[in-house]
């Protein structure tokens, strides 16, 4: 499995087409009712989205009969239309096996809260 961000950093549309399922959607915690389609996600990343090399940590992969859930923390330094997109995100991707290759079909993201949550 190759992450979409690596291909987005390089503006590699061919790799993005292979990695991302046709039904891909993203939902973000800052606006959960607004679904970002595959087409919109790719247009944003391939046009004016400036993305520095990412830092990824705390990755966990769970596989289930042709599906996998991949969660990780991604720290990014990015700009889009002169607006900062720099932050640390917790991302959960759902991957599906499509015709012998793994593709990301769904993504859920949220900005990481500084200091975490008190679970006492």
């Amino acid at each position: 499995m190759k992450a979409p961000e690596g291909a987005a950093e390089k503006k590699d549309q061919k790799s993005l087409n292979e990695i991302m399922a046709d039904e891909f959607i993203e939902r973000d915690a800052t606006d959960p009712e607004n679904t970002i389609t595959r087409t919109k996600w790719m247009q944003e990343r391939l046009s004016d989205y400036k993305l520095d090399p990412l830092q990824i940590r705390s990755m966990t992969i769970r596989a289930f009969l042709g599906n996998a859930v991949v969660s990780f923390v991604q720290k990014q330094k990015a700009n889009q239309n002169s607006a900062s997109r720099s932050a640390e995100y917790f991302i959960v991707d759902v991957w599906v096996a499509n015709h012998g290759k793994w593709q990301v079909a769904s993504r859920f993201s949220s900005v990481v809260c500084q200091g975490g949550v008190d679970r006492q």
Side-chain angles (χ1 to χ4, degrees), residues 51-110:
L51 186 61
D52 287 352
L54 302 168
Q55 296 174 5
I56 294 179
R57 65 180 171 81
S58 302
M59 183 176 283
T60 302
I61 302 172
R62 303 278 319 262
F64 308 94
L65 299 175
N67 297 293
V69 178
V70 180
S71 62
F72 55 96
V73 176
Q74 171 180 298
K75 186 174 183 177
Q76 71 178 39
K77 187 173 180 181
N79 267 280
Q80 184 178 23
N81 295 328
S82 300
S84 176
R85 298 282 189 210
S86 299
E88 193 169 51
Y89 296 91
F90 177 66
I91 297 175
V92 178
D93 284 341
V94 177
W95 291 76
V96 295
N98 277 336
H99 309 290
K101 62 183 173 182
W102 285 98
Q103 294 183 307
V104 62
S106 188
R107 168 169 284 187
F108 304 93
S109 63
S110 177

Side-chain angles (χ1 to χ4, degrees), residues 22-48:
D22 290 341
E23 67 272 16
F24 173 87
I25 61 161
E26 179 179 12
R27 293 183 67 198
D28 188 297
T30 60
D31 188 7
E33 294 181 21
N34 181 26
T35 301
I36 300 165
T37 64
R38 176 186 195 266
T39 300
K40 184 175 180 182
W41 194 96
M42 287 179 66
Q43 284 173 342
E44 287 178 356
R45 297 315 186 279
L46 293 172
S47 62
D48 56 358

Side-chain angles (χ1 to χ4, degrees), residues 113-120:
C113 297
Q114 298 304 315
V117 177
D118 185 6
R119 299 205 183 268
Q120 293 181 358

